[in-house]
Amino acid sequence: MAKPLILVTNDDGITAPGVRTLIHIMKKIGDVIVVAPDSPQSGMGHAITLDSTLYAEKLTIDEESEGIVEYSCSGTPADCVKLALQELMERKPDICVSGINHGSNSSINVIYSGTMSAAIEAGIEGIPAIGFSLCDYKWEADFSQAKEYVQTIVEQALQHGIPKGTVLNVNIPKLTKDELKGIKVCRQARANWKEKFDKRKNPMGKDYYWLTGEFELLDQGEDTDEWALANGYISVVPTQFDLTAHHAVQELNSWNF
Amino acid sequence: MAKPLILVTNDDGITAPGVRTLIHIMKKIGDVIVVAPDSPQSGMGHAITLDSTLYAEKLTIDEESEGIVEYSCSGTPADCVKLALQELMERKPDICVSGINHGSNSSINVIYSGTMSAAIEAGIEGIPAIGFSLCDYKWEADFSQAKEYVQTIVEQALQHGIPKGTVLNVNIPKLTKDELKGIKVCRQARANWKEKFDKRKNPMGKDYYWLTGEFELLDQGEDTDEWALANGYISVVPTQFDLTAHHAVQELNSWNF
């Protein structure tokens, strides 16, 4: 069988250790092309660049990636995928992988996630796609312990295909290789952020705010991604972009329009 | 009964005719507070400002809105809602309405929509929320024909409550009042954008791209938002932020992890 063609992207920027790790794992599985943002895009959600120009610069980042075609792109993660598919790649990739994100994209974080928006963008275009995140925000986070799991998940996705209309949201707990217990398929836990804004005055005396907050888990289920992560498992959530709450259609039809 | 407290926001910016129309309709229903972006934020998806400061400026935009408290905010639509709820409002609003957007947010557009991200942000916080969009991108679009329908939908939402875990995505076709046939509860149509990038050279000889594209409907259903809009109806889609593809969990559990 021909080697699979793998599109790699992320939201922390093309030089982030997380994406470099992902590239090196993907090299073992197939032919790799990288199209990733030229600067960090965390919290960008599914933003796209509608009213500005996009640049894409071919470059080489490190020796280990020699021979891999890499583009640094001025846009958001979703822009990177669009540009890769329409302009930079000669054929559709067999799979698109995004990450490994520096920080969790479990539960409600999926909504804000640039990592997942890239995967979702590929999914909308009919390409199997997976977003990977490590629950460690640090730039110097240790991505080595999960290498084999990441490889297994991508190989299984290539073998089985990802269910239609879904992409996978994979989160890896911050644990050593020995502590990791395996992989669990989960649902997205119900949670939100209890926002707190840190209100300050700028040197000109004007108020401004920094967004801070605390994660609040509102879900006691043992079938959720948060449960899996807290109990030593890598979580895999099938994530869809049909946002219809089908169960609510009937109720709304009783309204008096 | 006390007048309901209504938070109004949008993604086209606080001076956009669409949000001014929405404010004037909401004045008839309750007490209004406006927290909206100081500049257009279309295509921002669910972006939030993680690593930068946020400003909020109290201001008055037009005479018709006299007496209404309005803030212009430097952030994204989701930032506006977070800041409103945590810092700018004294109590939780009874409902949050976003829009009226200049342009459609039907079918797959919901994914890229700043209008809907504001509504979803409110929904995550447990507040009934509705995003309104008119299928006309023009700044000088005519929002008058749908005024009564917008009012009815908000009044019905206040009366019945919006189903838990969902927010409403309302799209209004570009039709005259006489042509509008009514309101239909729908599901999100399957569709995507066939992207085309317009590749150009800048004055320094460097390639750059503009994102353009054609909307491609992939769904023949007569229960979709696209069908409703094409047939003269206002579409109402209950939209959820639990993105789990529950039907896919079983299939993924057959993988060999």
Side-chain angles (χ1 to χ4, degrees):
Chain A
M1 198 184 98
K3 272 177 137 185
L5 180 60
I6 304 172
L7 171 62
V8 178
T9 188
N10 79 334
D11 81 336
D12 291 315
I14 197 163
T15 60
V19 74
R20 306 318 304 171
T21 303
L22 189 55
I23 292 164
H24 302 148
I25 303 169
M26 291 306 107
K27 261 175 70 176
K28 295 182 200 161
I29 300 176
D31 293 322
V32 175
I33 176 164
V34 182
V35 183
D38 60 9
S39 62
Q41 300 279 331
S42 291
M44 280 307 279
H46 209 99
I48 49 173
T49 302
L50 288 177
D51 50 6
S52 183
T53 55
L54 285 175
Y55 286 87
E57 194 88 57
K58 212 168 182 174
L59 80 184
T60 308
I61 302 280
D62 56 27
E63 275 182 22
E64 266 194 274
S65 318
E66 224 188 276
I68 292 177
V69 177
E70 300 202 44
Y71 292 91
S72 158
C73 170
S74 61
T76 66
D79 289 332
C80 288
V81 171
K82 282 180 188 290
L83 199 64
L85 298 180
Q86 302 308 321
E87 288 287 330
L88 305 175
M89 300 188 75
E90 280 170 24
R91 70 168 182 94
K92 267 198 173 189
D94 297 297
I95 196 164
C96 169
V97 292
S98 176
I100 302 172
N101 190 58
H102 294 241
S104 166
N105 280 315
S106 60
S107 70
I108 197 63
N109 299 310
V110 67
I111 293 273
Y112 308 100
S113 167
T115 304
M116 282 305 295
S117 83
I120 287 172
E121 188 60 43
I124 292 170
E125 299 270 349
I127 294 157
I130 310 175
F132 290 98
S133 306
L134 177 68
C135 298
D136 186 347
Y137 285 87
K138 287 203 286 295
W139 189 258
E140 62 278 13
D142 177 17
F143 290 93
S144 67
Q145 82 287 18
K147 275 184 180 178
E148 284 156 38
Y149 287 106
V150 170
Q151 185 171 344
T152 299
I153 291 168
V154 174
E155 285 170 346
Q156 288 287 305
L158 285 165
Q159 186 184 324
H160 295 279
I162 291 175
K164 212 182 154 184
T166 73
V167 300
L168 303 186
N169 182 15
V170 177
N171 282 272
I172 302 159
K174 186 186 165 182
L175 294 172
T176 64
K177 198 172 168 177
D178 289 346
E179 288 166 334
L180 274 177
K181 285 188 196 151
I183 297 170
K184 271 216 188 303
V185 181
C186 309
R187 65 174 174 86
Q188 175 187 325
R190 198 163 79 83
N192 66 15
W193 284 88
K194 268 201 113 53
E195 264 87 29
K196 270 189 152 171
F197 285 90
D198 185 345
K199 190 175 177 178
R200 303 184 179 189
K201 270 196 200 310
N202 77 7
M204 283 67 75
K206 195 170 156 184
D207 289 333
Y208 68 99
Y209 302 88
W210 287 101
L211 176 59
T212 65
E214 259 175 48
F215 182 76
E216 190 178 32
L217 182 62
L218 304 165
D219 194 325
Q220 302 303 315
E222 301 195 351
D223 55 348
T224 70
D225 49 3
E226 289 303 326
W227 187 92
L229 293 164
N231 286 275
Y233 294 94
I234 292 170
S235 66
V236 176
V237 176
T239 297
Q240 62 190 357
F241 35 89
D242 174 2
L243 306 189
T244 312
H246 292 278
H247 62 278
V249 169
Q250 199 180 5
E251 184 177 334
L252 290 173
N253 271 317
S254 71
W255 287 19
N256 187 21
F257 286 142
Chain B
M1 198 186 98
K3 273 178 136 182
L5 180 59
I6 304 172
L7 171 62
V8 179
T9 188
N10 79 334
D11 81 336
D12 291 313
I14 195 162
T15 61
V19 75
R20 306 319 302 171
T21 303
L22 189 56
I23 293 164
H24 302 149
I25 305 169
M26 292 305 107
K27 261 175 71 177
K28 298 182 199 161
I29 302 177
D31 294 323
V32 175
I33 177 165
V34 182
V35 183
D38 60 9
S39 61
Q41 299 279 327
S42 291
M44 279 306 279
H46 209 100
I48 49 172
T49 302
L50 287 176
D51 50 7
S52 184
T53 55
L54 285 175
Y55 286 88
E57 195 90 54
K58 213 170 181 169
L59 79 182
T60 308
I61 302 281
D62 56 28
E63 275 183 22
E64 265 194 276
S65 318
E66 224 187 276
I68 291 177
V69 177
E70 300 202 43
Y71 292 91
S72 158
C73 171
S74 62
T76 65
D79 288 332
C80 289
V81 171
K82 283 180 188 287
L83 199 65
L85 298 179
Q86 303 308 320
E87 289 288 327
L88 305 175
M89 301 189 76
E90 280 171 24
R91 70 168 182 94
K92 265 197 174 189
D94 297 296
I95 196 163
C96 169
V97 292
S98 177
I100 303 171
N101 190 58
H102 293 240
S104 165
N105 280 313
S106 60
S107 70
I108 197 63
N109 300 309
V110 67
I111 293 273
Y112 308 100
S113 167
T115 304
M116 283 305 296
S117 84
I120 288 172
E121 187 60 43
I124 292 170
E125 299 269 350
I127 294 157
I130 310 176
F132 290 98
S133 307
L134 176 69
C135 299
D136 185 348
Y137 285 87
K138 287 204 285 297
W139 189 259
E140 64 278 13
D142 177 16
F143 291 93
S144 67
Q145 82 288 16
K147 275 184 179 179
E148 284 155 37
Y149 287 106
V150 170
Q151 185 171 344
T152 299
I153 292 168
V154 173
E155 283 170 347
Q156 288 288 305
L158 285 165
Q159 185 184 322
H160 294 279
I162 290 175
K164 212 181 155 186
T166 73
V167 300
L168 303 187
N169 182 16
V170 177
N171 282 272
I172 302 160
K174 186 186 166 184
L175 295 173
T176 65
K177 199 174 168 179
D178 288 345
E179 289 166 333
L180 273 176
K181 286 191 197 150
I183 296 170
K184 272 217 187 300
V185 181
C186 309
R187 64 175 174 84
Q188 175 186 325
R190 197 163 79 83
N192 66 16
W193 284 87
K194 270 203 110 55
E195 264 88 29
K196 270 191 153 167
F197 284 90
D198 183 346
K199 189 174 178 179
R200 302 183 180 191
K201 272 199 198 306
N202 76 8
M204 283 68 74
K206 198 170 154 182
D207 289 333
Y208 70 98
Y209 302 89
W210 288 101
L211 176 58
T212 66
E214 260 175 47
F215 183 74
E216 190 177 32
L217 182 61
L218 305 165
D219 194 323
Q220 301 304 317
E222 301 194 349
D223 55 348
T224 70
D225 49 3
E226 290 303 326
W227 187 92
L229 293 164
N231 287 274
Y233 293 95
I234 292 171
S235 66
V236 175
V237 176
T239 298
Q240 61 191 356
F241 35 89
D242 173 2
L243 306 190
T244 311
H246 291 279
H247 63 278
V249 168
Q250 199 181 4
E251 184 178 335
L252 290 173
N253 271 316
S254 71
W255 287 17
N256 187 22
F257 286 142

